[in-house]
Amino acid sequence: MVEYTRNEIRDLIISFIVLSICFTISTVKMNFYGAISILPIVTVGVGIGFMLRELAQKFVAIKYGYNAEFKMWPLGLLITFISSLLGFVLAFVGSIKIDEDDVPDEIKGRTAVAGPMANMALALLFIVIATLIYPLKIHSSVFNLIFLINTVGFSVNSFLAAFNLLPLWTLDGLNVFKWDVKIWIVTFVLACIMLVLATIIGAEKMVVMLIGI
C-alpha cells in the first residue's frame, strides 16, 4: 500500500501548483486574462502527469522494499518560476527520495525510469482521447474543451518525460543512465520523438493526421 506523509502531501501540492502556474506563464507570458483562461486546462495535464509520475516512482521503490518520499526543492522551484518568465520551463520542482543509504544503481534506475515512462504512457492516452473526441468538438463547447485539455496534456507530458530523462543534476535521466545506458537511450529517444511531434507538428495536426490514416 502506498502511503504519504503530511510533509510529502504538502510538498506535492506546492510543487503541483508552482508547476501548473509556470507552464501557464510560459505559454501566455504575463497576459493575466490569458493565464486565467488557460490555467485550468494546463492544470489537468500537469496535475495528472506530475502525480502519476511521482506515484509510479514511489510504487517501484516500495515494490523493491525501500521507503520513498517526494521532497520538493525550494531552489528548484525558484529556478522553475524564473525560467517560465523567459518562455520555457526548467521543471526542477523536486523528486522521489529513497531513505536508505547504499541503494543499488539498478533500484535507483528502475525507480527513476518509471516516472518518464508514466508520462509517455499518459501522453499517448491523451492523444488517443483527443483523436476520438476530435469529430465531436465542432458540435459542443464541452467536447471542444475536452479536446483542448487532451492536446495540452499530450504536449505537457511529452515535455516532462523528455526533460526528466536528461542525464543531468537531480533529474531521473542521470540515475537511468548510470544503471543501463541502453535503456536510457531507448526511453530518451522515444520521449524526444514525442516532444518533437508535440512542438513541431503540434497535437491538433497530429490528430488530423491520425484520423486521415
Side-chain angles (χ1 to χ4, degrees), residues 36-94:
I36 292 298
S37 63
I38 199 175
L39 180 59
I41 296 171
V42 172
T43 297
V44 175
V46 173
I48 298 176
F50 174 67
M51 294 303 296
L52 185 62
R53 170 182 177 271
E54 305 307 332
L55 181 62
Q57 293 182 327
K58 190 178 178 75
F59 177 80
V60 171
I62 292 174
K63 176 185 176 182
Y64 286 102
Y66 293 92
N67 294 318
E69 182 176 349
F70 176 83
K71 294 183 180 180
M72 67 178 179
W73 184 28
L75 177 59
L77 291 174
L78 179 60
I79 294 172
T80 304
F81 179 72
I82 293 174
S83 69
S84 71
L85 297 176
L86 301 176
F88 55 92
V89 179
L90 296 176
F92 292 114
V93 294

Side-chain angles (χ1 to χ4, degrees), residues 122-151:
L122 185 58
L124 291 175
L125 178 61
F126 273 130
I127 203 67
V128 168
I129 295 175
T131 303
L132 295 175
I133 291 294
Y134 183 78
L136 304 174
K137 77 185 190 75
I138 61 173
H139 301 296
S140 169
S141 58
V142 174
F143 284 122
N144 189 54
L145 178 60
I146 295 173
F147 176 78
L148 185 57
I149 288 173
N150 281 277
T151 53

Side-chain angles (χ1 to χ4, degrees), residues 192-212:
C192 286
I193 290 173
M194 293 174 67
L195 179 59
V196 168
L197 290 173
T199 55
I200 295 181
I201 296 178
E204 185 165 356
K205 288 184 178 179
M206 282 182 59
V207 168
V208 173
M209 291 170 61
L210 289 172
I211 291 177

